[in-house]
């Protein structure tokens, strides 16, 4: 089992190359220059390596997408575009700088700029095409399918 | 909803930032409630003070006062922070009384019921 990890202090998050991780979770503290914020990680999971314990894969995946522009389509057909501020274990989503896709149909949403969306009502989360490292996700999914 | 630890303040999805703010809460049945958030919990249950229901029918709207409301989290779709500097509604909309908005709602409901029955009759003919 060979793992190469680099925890950089300069503010860049580097993707690590991994061969096989199994159920090993690595404690890393990575600093990430993102509008001046410091992002600390939870114990037991890492930001750039998707963990293999069940139910955490998409949570970690969304945590990596924080700061990106996404469109959340809800089960009531309301579609909201905004910057992903945060996500939690229930996949509740907080968006900032929101604007509704079809503003005329939803006049009551005009002055809403930040919102909290309950995870249970999300139908889709539409992502930028370069938001997905498909290979990393495939590997993590395969590991989870094997180990879970 | 996670409770924010000291490290997680920037990343938190907790509603703590929304406390004592005027919010718009969308419910699963389509209702729009507005009020000040008093408290919440991990299920997104919420207590709204000075709550009112904003009923919108076409270009007409009305705020029906409700008082203190406890909302069960499973009914919550979205909780939005209202930006006080912006207009809550487009200027073309007109505020009307409760009685008038109820009448407008009834008309809208009857129109959609009629549309529903007409569609059922046409489906029977199977024109498609």
């Amino acid at each position: 089992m060979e793992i190469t990890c680099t925890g950089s202090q300069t503010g860049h998050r580097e993707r690590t190359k991994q061969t096989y991780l199994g159920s090993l979770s690595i404690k890393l503290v990575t600093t990430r220059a993102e509008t001046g914020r410091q992002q600390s990680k939870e114990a037991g999971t890492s930001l750039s390596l998707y963990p293999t314990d069940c139910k955490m894969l998409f949570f970690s995946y969304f945590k990596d997408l924080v700061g990106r522009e996404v469109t959340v389509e809800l089960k009531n057909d309301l579609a909201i575009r905004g910057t992903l501020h945060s996500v939690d274990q229930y996949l509740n989503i907080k968006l900032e700088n929101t604007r509704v896709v079809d503003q005329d149909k939803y006049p009551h949403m005009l002055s809403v700029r930040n919102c909290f969306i309950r995870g249970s009502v999300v139908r889709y989360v539409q992502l930028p095409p370069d938001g997905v490292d498909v290979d990393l996700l495939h590997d993590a999914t395969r590991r989870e399918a094997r180990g879970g | 909803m996670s409770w924010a630890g000291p490290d997680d303040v920037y990343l938190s999805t907790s509603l703590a930032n929304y406390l004592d703010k005027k919010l718009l809460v969308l419910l699963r049945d389509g209702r729009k409630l507005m009020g000040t958030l008093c408290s919440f919990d991990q299920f997104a249950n919420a207590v709204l003070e000075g709550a009112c229901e904003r009923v919108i029918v076409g270009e007409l709207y009305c705020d029906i006062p409700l008082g203190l409301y406890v909302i069960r989290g499973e009914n919550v779709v979205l909780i939005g922070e209202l930006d006080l500097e912006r207009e809550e509604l487009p200027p073309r909309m007109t505020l009307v009384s409760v009685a008038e908005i109820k009448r407008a709602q009834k008309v809208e409901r009857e129109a959609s019921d009629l549309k529903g029955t007409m569609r059922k009759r046409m489906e029977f003919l199977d024109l498609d």
Side-chain angles (χ1 to χ4, degrees):
Chain A
M1 181 157 49
E2 185 178 273
I3 303 157
T4 321
C5 299
T6 48
S8 164
Q9 299 290 320
T10 58
H12 294 294
R13 176 167 64 86
E14 291 168 82
R15 285 274 149 91
T16 64
K17 195 152 191 302
Q18 67 204 47
T19 52
Y20 175 73
L21 212 54
S23 58
L24 181 74
S25 47
I26 298 174
K27 282 193 189 191
L28 285 173
V29 176
T30 54
T31 54
R32 187 164 156 185
E34 177 116 29
T35 64
R37 284 179 181 174
Q38 177 133 2
Q39 193 171 329
S40 67
K41 54 154 296 301
E42 285 175 74
T45 63
S46 70
L47 289 174
S48 54
L49 304 168
Y50 297 119
T52 56
D53 50 321
C54 312
K55 294 184 243 176
M56 296 292 273
L57 195 150
F58 280 98
F59 176 34
S60 304
Y61 172 63
F62 280 126
K63 276 203 291 186
D64 275 355
L65 285 175
V66 165
R68 307 293 297 270
E69 185 94 340
V70 298
T71 302
V72 181
E73 184 175 323
L74 307 179
K75 288 179 182 169
N76 65 359
D77 294 339
L78 176 63
I80 305 170
R81 192 165 179 77
T83 315
L84 185 64
H85 173 266
S86 55
V87 69
D88 67 4
Q89 48 172 320
Y90 305 113
L91 304 186
N92 294 332
I93 290 169
K94 248 194 178 175
L95 291 179
E96 290 196 330
N97 255 321
T98 58
R99 53 215 166 278
V100 174
V101 170
D102 193 356
Q103 186 69 63
D104 294 328
K105 203 173 163 201
Y106 304 100
H108 49 278
M109 296 287 297
L110 191 61
S111 73
V112 175
R113 280 294 163 269
N114 308 309
C115 64
F116 165 90
I117 301 171
R118 201 167 193 266
S120 59
V121 303
V122 172
R123 185 185 290 144
Y124 305 124
V125 178
Q126 292 159 14
L127 309 163
D130 56 343
V132 188
D133 185 338
V134 183
D135 297 323
L136 214 60
L137 209 53
H138 278 168
D139 289 341
T141 309
R142 266 181 237 119
R143 268 182 279 123
E144 188 166 315
R146 223 177 320 168
Chain B
M1 194 181 342
S2 48
W3 286 104
D7 297 330
D8 295 329
V9 163
Y10 292 123
L11 255 195
S12 175
T13 47
S14 99
L15 291 174
N17 301 329
Y18 289 179
L19 283 173
D20 297 324
K21 292 219 172 100
K22 190 175 183 205
L23 305 175
L24 171 75
V25 180
L26 295 185
L27 301 182
R28 283 211 315 229
D29 62 1
R31 274 190 264 201
K32 308 155 201 73
L33 300 182
M34 290 164 47
T36 317
L37 186 67
C38 284
S39 64
F40 64 93
D41 67 1
Q42 70 270 32
F43 305 112
N45 293 329
V47 175
L48 286 183
E49 197 175 26
C52 62
E53 183 188 343
R54 178 156 283 175
V55 181
I56 297 175
V57 179
E59 305 279 297
L60 309 173
Y61 75 97
C62 178
D63 290 342
I64 303 170
L66 301 168
L68 188 66
Y69 248 44
V70 176
I71 306 169
R72 190 177 162 86
E74 66 174 316
N75 298 294
V76 170
V77 167
L78 175 154
I79 298 182
E81 187 186 346
L82 291 168
D83 190 349
L84 298 169
E85 287 170 24
R86 289 178 191 267
E87 286 298 311
E88 282 177 3
L89 289 169
R92 63 170 197 263
M93 306 199 56
T94 46
L95 177 66
V96 295
S97 68
V98 180
E100 207 173 318
I101 204 81
K102 295 258 185 228
R103 247 178 286 143
Q105 265 187 320
K106 190 156 172 272
V107 169
E108 192 187 45
R109 198 170 34 239
E110 282 167 3
S112 66
D113 286 347
L114 183 65
K115 206 171 155 193
T117 56
M118 288 300 288
R119 191 174 289 132
K120 282 202 194 93
R121 286 185 206 158
M122 300 308 266
E123 273 170 10
F124 161 73
L125 291 172
D126 200 21
L127 291 170
D128 303 317

